[in-house]
PDB file of all heavy atoms in Angstrom:
ATOM      1  N   SER A   1    -145.053 -51.657-170.205  1.00 98.00           N
ATOM      2  CA  SER A   1    -143.929 -51.573-169.419  1.00 98.00           C
ATOM      3  C   SER A   1    -142.734 -52.237-169.907  1.00 98.00           C
ATOM      4  O   SER A   1    -141.578 -52.058-169.421  1.00 98.00           O
ATOM      5  CB  SER A   1    -144.193 -52.048-167.971  1.00 98.00           C
ATOM      6  OG  SER A   1    -144.519 -53.443-168.069  1.00 98.00           O
ATOM      7  N   THR A   2    -142.999 -53.107-170.957  1.00 98.00           N
ATOM      8  CA  THR A   2    -141.796 -53.851-171.544  1.00 98.00           C
ATOM      9  C   THR A   2    -141.329 -53.244-172.831  1.00 98.00           C
ATOM     10  O   THR A   2    -140.325 -53.840-173.388  1.00 98.00           O
ATOM     11  CB  THR A   2    -142.277 -55.297-171.902  1.00 98.00           C
ATOM     12  OG1 THR A   2    -143.339 -55.259-172.710  1.00 98.00           O
ATOM     13  CG2 THR A   2    -142.644 -56.033-170.519  1.00 98.00           C
ATOM     14  N   ILE A   3    -141.848 -52.182-173.230  1.00 98.00           N
ATOM     15  CA  ILE A   3    -141.336 -51.560-174.516  1.00 98.00           C
ATOM     16  C   ILE A   3    -139.925 -50.991-174.400  1.00 98.00           C
ATOM     17  O   ILE A   3    -139.586 -50.480-173.353  1.00 98.00           O
ATOM     18  CB  ILE A   3    -142.352 -50.306-174.958  1.00 98.00           C
ATOM     19  CG1 ILE A   3    -142.044 -49.982-176.392  1.00 98.00           C
ATOM     20  CG2 ILE A   3    -142.074 -49.115-174.055  1.00 98.00           C
ATOM     21  CD1 ILE A   3    -143.128 -49.081-176.921  1.00 98.00           C
ATOM     22  N   PRO A   4    -139.045 -51.124-175.411  1.00 98.00           N
ATOM     23  CA  PRO A   4    -137.785 -50.503-175.309  1.00 98.00           C
ATOM     24  C   PRO A   4    -137.863 -49.019-175.170  1.00 98.00           C
ATOM     25  O   PRO A   4    -138.478 -48.390-175.935  1.00 98.00           O
ATOM     26  CB  PRO A   4    -137.114 -50.930-176.646  1.00 98.00           C
ATOM     27  CG  PRO A   4    -137.819 -52.173-177.088  1.00 98.00           C
ATOM     28  CD  PRO A   4    -139.249 -52.010-176.637  1.00 98.00           C
ATOM     29  N   LEU A   5    -137.247 -48.504-174.163  1.00 98.00           N
ATOM     30  CA  LEU A   5    -137.285 -47.142-173.728  1.00 98.00           C
ATOM     31  C   LEU A   5    -135.961 -46.503-173.578  1.00 98.00           C
ATOM     32  O   LEU A   5    -135.154 -47.136-172.831  1.00 98.00           O
ATOM     33  CB  LEU A   5    -138.211 -46.891-172.526  1.00 98.00           C
ATOM     34  CG  LEU A   5    -138.640 -45.531-172.143  1.00 98.00           C
ATOM     35  CD1 LEU A   5    -140.033 -45.549-171.449  1.00 98.00           C
ATOM     36  CD2 LEU A   5    -137.673 -44.775-171.421  1.00 98.00           C
ATOM     37  N   PHE A   6    -135.701 -45.371-174.106  1.00 98.00           N
ATOM     38  CA  PHE A   6    -134.378 -44.715-174.029  1.00 98.00           C
ATOM     39  C   PHE A   6    -134.518 -43.376-173.335  1.00 98.00           C
ATOM     40  O   PHE A   6    -135.389 -42.649-173.582  1.00 98.00           O
ATOM     41  CB  PHE A   6    -133.771 -44.499-175.440  1.00 98.00           C
ATOM     42  CG  PHE A   6    -133.583 -45.768-176.252  1.00 98.00           C
ATOM     43  CD1 PHE A   6    -134.563 -46.374-176.922  1.00 98.00           C
ATOM     44  CD2 PHE A   6    -132.307 -46.370-176.243  1.00 98.00           C
ATOM     45  CE1 PHE A   6    -134.363 -47.516-177.608  1.00 98.00           C
ATOM     46  CE2 PHE A   6    -132.072 -47.594-176.956  1.00 98.00           C
ATOM     47  CZ  PHE A   6    -133.158 -48.136-177.576  1.00 98.00           C
ATOM     48  N   SER A   7    -133.581 -43.238-172.337  1.00 98.00           N
ATOM     49  CA  SER A   7    -133.555 -41.942-171.555  1.00 98.00           C
ATOM     50  C   SER A   7    -132.249 -41.229-171.741  1.00 98.00           C
ATOM     51  O   SER A   7    -131.291 -41.766-172.225  1.00 98.00           O
ATOM     52  CB  SER A   7    -133.815 -42.262-170.051  1.00 98.00           C
ATOM     53  OG  SER A   7    -132.671 -42.975-169.535  1.00 98.00           O
ATOM     54  N   GLN A   8    -132.204 -39.933-171.266  1.00 98.00           N
ATOM     55  CA  GLN A   8    -131.028 -39.149-171.557  1.00 98.00           C
ATOM     56  C   GLN A   8    -129.838 -39.462-170.582  1.00 98.00           C
ATOM     57  O   GLN A   8    -128.712 -39.279-170.951  1.00 98.00           O
ATOM     58  CB  GLN A   8    -131.379 -37.669-171.392  1.00 98.00           C
ATOM     59  CG  GLN A   8    -131.790 -37.287-170.035  1.00 98.00           C
ATOM     60  CD  GLN A   8    -131.828 -35.706-169.829  1.00 98.00           C
ATOM     61  OE1 GLN A   8    -131.089 -35.002-170.433  1.00 98.00           O
ATOM     62  NE2 GLN A   8    -132.640 -35.210-168.861  1.00 98.00           N
ATOM     63  N   ASN A   9    -130.203 -39.887-169.412  1.00 98.00           N
ATOM     64  CA  ASN A   9    -129.054 -40.189-168.431  1.00 98.00           C
ATOM     65  C   ASN A   9    -129.569 -41.211-167.419  1.00 98.00           C
ATOM     66  O   ASN A   9    -130.692 -41.711-167.382  1.00 98.00           O
ATOM     67  CB  ASN A   9    -128.715 -38.836-167.758  1.00 98.00           C
ATOM     68  CG  ASN A   9    -129.777 -38.223-167.079  1.00 98.00           C
ATOM     69  OD1 ASN A   9    -130.760 -38.778-166.578  1.00 98.00           O
ATOM     70  ND2 ASN A   9    -129.747 -36.881-167.033  1.00 98.00           N
ATOM     71  N   GLN A  10    -128.575 -41.540-166.455  1.00 98.00           N
ATOM     72  CA  GLN A  10    -128.835 -42.630-165.557  1.00 98.00           C
ATOM     73  C   GLN A  10    -129.878 -42.195-164.542  1.00 98.00           C
ATOM     74  O   GLN A  10    -130.726 -43.026-164.026  1.00 98.00           O
ATOM     75  CB  GLN A  10    -127.515 -42.957-164.855  1.00 98.00           C
ATOM     76  CG  GLN A  10    -127.635 -44.268-163.915  1.00 98.00           C
ATOM     77  CD  GLN A  10    -127.978 -45.521-164.780  1.00 98.00           C
ATOM     78  OE1 GLN A  10    -127.510 -45.706-165.832  1.00 98.00           O
ATOM     79  NE2 GLN A  10    -128.894 -46.372-164.215  1.00 98.00           N
ATOM     80  N   GLN A  11    -129.836 -40.930-164.151  1.00 97.00           N
ATOM     81  CA  GLN A  11    -130.969 -40.458-163.186  1.00 97.00           C
ATOM     82  C   GLN A  11    -132.332 -40.616-163.680  1.00 97.00           C
ATOM     83  O   GLN A  11    -133.191 -41.145-163.006  1.00 97.00           O
ATOM     84  CB  GLN A  11    -130.626 -39.002-162.936  1.00 97.00           C
ATOM     85  CG  GLN A  11    -131.678 -38.309-161.912  1.00 97.00           C
ATOM     86  CD  GLN A  11    -131.308 -36.836-161.628  1.00 97.00           C
ATOM     87  OE1 GLN A  11    -130.197 -36.428-161.855  1.00 97.00           O
ATOM     88  NE2 GLN A  11    -132.283 -36.177-161.185  1.00 97.00           N
ATOM     89  N   ASP A  12    -132.474 -40.244-165.005  1.00 98.00           N
ATOM     90  CA  ASP A  12    -133.848 -40.411-165.560  1.00 98.00           C
ATOM     91  C   ASP A  12    -134.145 -41.920-165.656  1.00 98.00           C
ATOM     92  O   ASP A  12    -135.341 -42.342-165.557  1.00 98.00           O
ATOM     93  CB  ASP A  12    -133.982 -39.746-166.950  1.00 98.00           C
ATOM     94  CG  ASP A  12    -134.176 -38.243-166.805  1.00 98.00           C
ATOM     95  OD1 ASP A  12    -134.010 -37.731-165.699  1.00 98.00           O
ATOM     96  OD2 ASP A  12    -134.306 -37.525-167.878  1.00 98.00           O
ATOM     97  N   ALA A  13    -133.166 -42.685-166.054  1.00 98.00           N
ATOM     98  CA  ALA A  13    -133.407 -44.137-166.243  1.00 98.00           C
ATOM     99  C   ALA A  13    -133.871 -44.831-165.031  1.00 98.00           C
ATOM    100  O   ALA A  13    -134.751 -45.614-165.011  1.00 98.00           O
ATOM    101  CB  ALA A  13    -132.153 -44.801-166.768  1.00 98.00           C
ATOM    102  N   GLU A  14    -133.234 -44.433-163.932  1.00 98.00           N
ATOM    103  CA  GLU A  14    -133.624 -45.015-162.601  1.00 98.00           C
ATOM    104  C   GLU A  14    -135.022 -44.571-162.209  1.00 98.00           C
ATOM    105  O   GLU A  14    -135.819 -45.416-161.666  1.00 98.00           O
ATOM    106  CB  GLU A  14    -132.569 -44.503-161.520  1.00 98.00           C
ATOM    107  CG  GLU A  14    -131.198 -45.207-161.702  1.00 98.00           C
ATOM    108  CD  GLU A  14    -130.192 -44.670-160.741  1.00 98.00           C
ATOM    109  OE1 GLU A  14    -130.586 -43.762-159.869  1.00 98.00           O
ATOM    110  OE2 GLU A  14    -129.062 -45.058-160.749  1.00 98.00           O
ATOM    111  N   GLN A  15    -135.364 -43.321-162.520  1.00 98.00           N
ATOM    112  CA  GLN A  15    -136.734 -42.900-162.241  1.00 98.00           C
ATOM    113  C   GLN A  15    -137.743 -43.638-163.080  1.00 98.00           C
ATOM    114  O   GLN A  15    -138.775 -44.139-162.474  1.00 98.00           O
ATOM    115  CB  GLN A  15    -136.896 -41.386-162.542  1.00 98.00           C
ATOM    116  CG  GLN A  15    -138.212 -40.817-162.352  1.00 98.00           C
ATOM    117  CD  GLN A  15    -138.251 -39.370-162.744  1.00 98.00           C
ATOM    118  OE1 GLN A  15    -137.208 -38.663-162.740  1.00 98.00           O
ATOM    119  NE2 GLN A  15    -139.416 -38.874-162.995  1.00 98.00           N
ATOM    120  N   ILE A  16    -137.475 -43.841-164.298  1.00 98.00           N
ATOM    121  CA  ILE A  16    -138.385 -44.586-165.131  1.00 98.00           C
ATOM    122  C   ILE A  16    -138.509 -46.114-164.795  1.00 98.00           C
ATOM    123  O   ILE A  16    -139.562 -46.703-164.820  1.00 98.00           O
ATOM    124  CB  ILE A  16    -137.984 -44.399-166.640  1.00 98.00           C
ATOM    125  CG1 ILE A  16    -138.224 -42.905-167.003  1.00 98.00           C
ATOM    126  CG2 ILE A  16    -138.769 -45.270-167.528  1.00 98.00           C
ATOM    127  CD1 ILE A  16    -137.598 -42.429-168.316  1.00 98.00           C
ATOM    128  N   ARG A  17    -137.380 -46.636-164.448  1.00 98.00           N
ATOM    129  CA  ARG A  17    -137.385 -48.036-163.940  1.00 98.00           C
ATOM    130  C   ARG A  17    -138.258 -48.229-162.719  1.00 98.00           C
ATOM    131  O   ARG A  17    -139.001 -49.141-162.514  1.00 98.00           O
ATOM    132  CB  ARG A  17    -136.024 -48.573-163.736  1.00 98.00           C
ATOM    133  CG  ARG A  17    -135.181 -48.851-165.001  1.00 98.00           C
ATOM    134  CD  ARG A  17    -133.825 -49.334-164.690  1.00 98.00           C
ATOM    135  NE  ARG A  17    -132.908 -49.373-165.867  1.00 98.00           N
ATOM    136  CZ  ARG A  17    -131.783 -48.723-166.011  1.00 98.00           C
ATOM    137  NH1 ARG A  17    -131.343 -47.975-165.015  1.00 98.00           N
ATOM    138  NH2 ARG A  17    -131.107 -48.845-167.162  1.00 98.00           N
ATOM    139  N   ALA A  18    -138.103 -47.210-161.765  1.00 98.00           N
ATOM    140  CA  ALA A  18    -138.895 -47.215-160.565  1.00 98.00           C
ATOM    141  C   ALA A  18    -140.376 -47.128-160.819  1.00 98.00           C
ATOM    142  O   ALA A  18    -141.155 -47.481-160.029  1.00 98.00           O
ATOM    143  CB  ALA A  18    -138.436 -46.196-159.632  1.00 98.00           C
ATOM    144  N   GLN A  19    -140.677 -46.662-161.991  1.00 98.00           N
ATOM    145  CA  GLN A  19    -142.137 -46.495-162.426  1.00 98.00           C
ATOM    146  C   GLN A  19    -142.663 -47.751-163.084  1.00 98.00           C
ATOM    147  O   GLN A  19    -143.803 -47.766-163.600  1.00 98.00           O
ATOM    148  CB  GLN A  19    -142.265 -45.275-163.322  1.00 98.00           C
ATOM    149  CG  GLN A  19    -142.074 -43.853-162.608  1.00 98.00           C
ATOM    150  CD  GLN A  19    -141.718 -42.760-163.592  1.00 98.00           C
ATOM    151  OE1 GLN A  19    -141.479 -43.019-164.733  1.00 98.00           O
ATOM    152  NE2 GLN A  19    -141.830 -41.562-163.030  1.00 98.00           N
ATOM    153  N   GLY A  20    -141.791 -48.771-163.168  1.00 98.00           N
ATOM    154  CA  GLY A  20    -142.244 -50.075-163.618  1.00 98.00           C
ATOM    155  C   GLY A  20    -141.742 -50.488-164.980  1.00 98.00           C
ATOM    156  O   GLY A  20    -142.161 -51.580-165.472  1.00 98.00           O
ATOM    157  N   PHE A  21    -140.927 -49.747-165.626  1.00 98.00           N
ATOM    158  CA  PHE A  21    -140.464 -50.054-166.987  1.00 98.00           C
ATOM    159  C   PHE A  21    -139.221 -50.885-166.929  1.00 98.00           C
ATOM    160  O   PHE A  21    -138.250 -50.553-166.209  1.00 98.00           O
ATOM    161  CB  PHE A  21    -140.232 -48.783-167.867  1.00 98.00           C
ATOM    162  CG  PHE A  21    -141.522 -48.124-168.139  1.00 98.00           C
ATOM    163  CD1 PHE A  21    -142.251 -47.335-167.246  1.00 98.00           C
ATOM    164  CD2 PHE A  21    -142.189 -48.380-169.322  1.00 98.00           C
ATOM    165  CE1 PHE A  21    -143.517 -46.833-167.515  1.00 98.00           C
ATOM    166  CE2 PHE A  21    -143.474 -47.802-169.668  1.00 98.00           C
ATOM    167  CZ  PHE A  21    -144.132 -47.003-168.698  1.00 98.00           C
ATOM    168  N   SER A  22    -139.228 -51.956-167.653  1.00 97.00           N
ATOM    169  CA  SER A  22    -138.152 -52.997-167.501  1.00 97.00           C
ATOM    170  C   SER A  22    -137.125 -53.030-168.582  1.00 97.00           C
ATOM    171  O   SER A  22    -136.133 -53.749-168.462  1.00 97.00           O
ATOM    172  CB  SER A  22    -138.820 -54.326-167.420  1.00 97.00           C
ATOM    173  OG  SER A  22    -139.507 -54.658-168.626  1.00 97.00           O
ATOM    174  N   ALA A  23    -137.293 -52.200-169.634  1.00 98.00           N
ATOM    175  CA  ALA A  23    -136.367 -52.242-170.814  1.00 98.00           C
ATOM    176  C   ALA A  23    -135.779 -50.891-171.092  1.00 98.00           C
ATOM    177  O   ALA A  23    -135.858 -50.374-172.225  1.00 98.00           O
ATOM    178  CB  ALA A  23    -137.011 -52.810-172.036  1.00 98.00           C
ATOM    179  N   VAL A  24    -135.258 -50.269-170.018  1.00 98.00           N
ATOM    180  CA  VAL A  24    -134.753 -48.836-170.154  1.00 98.00           C
ATOM    181  C   VAL A  24    -133.247 -48.891-170.442  1.00 98.00           C
ATOM    182  O   VAL A  24    -132.505 -49.532-169.832  1.00 98.00           O
ATOM    183  CB  VAL A  24    -135.008 -48.078-168.850  1.00 98.00           C
ATOM    184  CG1 VAL A  24    -134.580 -46.630-168.993  1.00 98.00           C
ATOM    185  CG2 VAL A  24    -136.511 -48.130-168.485  1.00 98.00           C
ATOM    186  N   THR A  25    -132.890 -48.131-171.501  1.00 98.00           N
ATOM    187  CA  THR A  25    -131.545 -47.948-171.888  1.00 98.00           C
ATOM    188  C   THR A  25    -131.087 -46.476-171.874  1.00 98.00           C
ATOM    189  O   THR A  25    -131.877 -45.612-172.270  1.00 98.00           O
ATOM    190  CB  THR A  25    -131.312 -48.516-173.287  1.00 98.00           C
ATOM    191  OG1 THR A  25    -131.589 -49.829-173.424  1.00 98.00           O
ATOM    192  CG2 THR A  25    -129.787 -48.275-173.791  1.00 98.00           C
ATOM    193  N   VAL A  26    -129.977 -46.137-171.251  1.00 98.00           N
ATOM    194  CA  VAL A  26    -129.493 -44.739-171.229  1.00 98.00           C
ATOM    195  C   VAL A  26    -128.834 -44.567-172.539  1.00 98.00           C
ATOM    196  O   VAL A  26    -127.899 -45.342-173.019  1.00 98.00           O
ATOM    197  CB  VAL A  26    -128.415 -44.668-170.123  1.00 98.00           C
ATOM    198  CG1 VAL A  26    -127.899 -43.187-170.177  1.00 98.00           C
ATOM    199  CG2 VAL A  26    -129.156 -44.851-168.754  1.00 98.00           C
ATOM    200  N   LEU A  27    -129.116 -43.408-173.205  1.00 98.00           N
ATOM    201  CA  LEU A  27    -128.529 -43.089-174.475  1.00 98.00           C
ATOM    202  C   LEU A  27    -127.027 -42.644-174.218  1.00 98.00           C
ATOM    203  O   LEU A  27    -126.733 -41.850-173.397  1.00 98.00           O
ATOM    204  CB  LEU A  27    -129.293 -41.839-175.122  1.00 98.00           C
ATOM    205  CG  LEU A  27    -130.576 -42.092-175.695  1.00 98.00           C
ATOM    206  CD1 LEU A  27    -131.338 -40.757-175.910  1.00 98.00           C
ATOM    207  CD2 LEU A  27    -130.599 -42.898-177.027  1.00 98.00           C
ATOM    208  N   ASP A  28    -126.110 -43.209-175.026  1.00 98.00           N
ATOM    209  CA  ASP A  28    -124.743 -42.796-175.073  1.00 98.00           C
ATOM    210  C   ASP A  28    -124.685 -41.529-175.933  1.00 98.00           C
ATOM    211  O   ASP A  28    -125.701 -41.193-176.564  1.00 98.00           O
ATOM    212  CB  ASP A  28    -123.787 -43.734-175.621  1.00 98.00           C
ATOM    213  CG  ASP A  28    -123.678 -44.991-174.660  1.00 98.00           C
ATOM    214  OD1 ASP A  28    -123.709 -44.799-173.418  1.00 98.00           O
ATOM    215  OD2 ASP A  28    -123.675 -46.177-175.187  1.00 98.00           O
ATOM    216  N   ASP A  29    -123.553 -40.924-176.005  1.00 97.00           N
ATOM    217  CA  ASP A  29    -123.433 -39.869-177.020  1.00 97.00           C
ATOM    218  C   ASP A  29    -123.798 -40.315-178.422  1.00 97.00           C
ATOM    219  O   ASP A  29    -124.356 -39.610-179.201  1.00 97.00           O
ATOM    220  CB  ASP A  29    -121.968 -39.312-176.997  1.00 97.00           C
ATOM    221  CG  ASP A  29    -121.605 -38.572-175.726  1.00 97.00           C
ATOM    222  OD1 ASP A  29    -122.549 -38.130-174.978  1.00 97.00           O
ATOM    223  OD2 ASP A  29    -120.449 -38.396-175.453  1.00 97.00           O
ATOM    224  N   ARG A  30    -123.467 -41.538-178.636  1.00 98.00           N
ATOM    225  CA  ARG A  30    -123.823 -42.250-179.906  1.00 98.00           C
ATOM    226  C   ARG A  30    -124.386 -43.636-179.630  1.00 98.00           C
ATOM    227  O   ARG A  30    -123.815 -44.392-178.922  1.00 98.00           O
ATOM    228  CB  ARG A  30    -122.613 -42.425-180.894  1.00 98.00           C
ATOM    229  CG  ARG A  30    -122.912 -43.192-182.092  1.00 98.00           C
ATOM    230  CD  ARG A  30    -121.772 -43.269-183.042  1.00 98.00           C
ATOM    231  NE  ARG A  30    -122.006 -44.144-184.164  1.00 98.00           N
ATOM    232  CZ  ARG A  30    -121.344 -44.149-185.356  1.00 98.00           C
ATOM    233  NH1 ARG A  30    -120.279 -43.344-185.410  1.00 98.00           N
ATOM    234  NH2 ARG A  30    -121.647 -45.008-186.248  1.00 98.00           N
ATOM    235  N   THR A  31    -125.620 -43.897-180.059  1.00 98.00           N
ATOM    236  CA  THR A  31    -126.280 -45.117-179.751  1.00 98.00           C
ATOM    237  C   THR A  31    -126.843 -45.771-181.000  1.00 98.00           C
ATOM    238  O   THR A  31    -127.471 -45.013-181.923  1.00 98.00           O
ATOM    239  CB  THR A  31    -127.477 -44.849-178.835  1.00 98.00           C
ATOM    240  OG1 THR A  31    -127.086 -44.337-177.639  1.00 98.00           O
ATOM    241  CG2 THR A  31    -128.233 -46.179-178.529  1.00 98.00           C
ATOM    242  N   GLU A  32    -126.502 -47.019-181.236  1.00 98.00           N
ATOM    243  CA  GLU A  32    -127.000 -47.709-182.486  1.00 98.00           C
ATOM    244  C   GLU A  32    -128.304 -48.469-182.148  1.00 98.00           C
ATOM    245  O   GLU A  32    -128.329 -49.217-181.127  1.00 98.00           O
ATOM    246  CB  GLU A  32    -125.951 -48.709-182.966  1.00 98.00           C
ATOM    247  CG  GLU A  32    -124.613 -48.126-183.244  1.00 98.00           C
ATOM    248  CD  GLU A  32    -124.605 -47.158-184.437  1.00 98.00           C
ATOM    249  OE1 GLU A  32    -125.555 -47.217-185.290  1.00 98.00           O
ATOM    250  OE2 GLU A  32    -123.743 -46.193-184.477  1.00 98.00           O
ATOM    251  N   ILE A  33    -129.356 -48.163-182.797  1.00 97.00           N
ATOM    252  CA  ILE A  33    -130.649 -48.883-182.609  1.00 97.00           C
ATOM    253  C   ILE A  33    -130.982 -49.529-184.034  1.00 97.00           C
ATOM    254  O   ILE A  33    -131.364 -48.922-184.947  1.00 97.00           O
ATOM    255  CB  ILE A  33    -131.718 -47.862-182.287  1.00 97.00           C
ATOM    256  CG1 ILE A  33    -131.433 -47.095-180.983  1.00 97.00           C
ATOM    257  CG2 ILE A  33    -133.145 -48.620-182.073  1.00 97.00           C
ATOM    258  CD1 ILE A  33    -132.477 -46.020-180.605  1.00 97.00           C
TER     259      ILE A  33
END
């Protein structure tokens, strides 16, 4: 649940956070990893 996780938008991020994941980032059009 602590793994860095990237989602496509805020809606998906909120869903995944509600599933217990604590390190969720929404992808911008351009994201530096």
Side-chain angles (χ1 to χ4, degrees):
S1 63
T2 56
I3 195 168
L5 191 150
F6 296 86
S7 69
Q8 66 165 333
N9 56 30
Q10 190 61 41
Q11 179 180 339
D12 282 8
E14 290 174 1
Q15 178 182 337
I16 294 167
R17 289 183 188 117
Q19 292 162 345
F21 289 81
S22 60
V24 182
T25 300
V26 177
L27 290 167
D28 293 323
D29 290 340
R30 173 177 176 162
T31 301
E32 304 295 335
I33 304 176

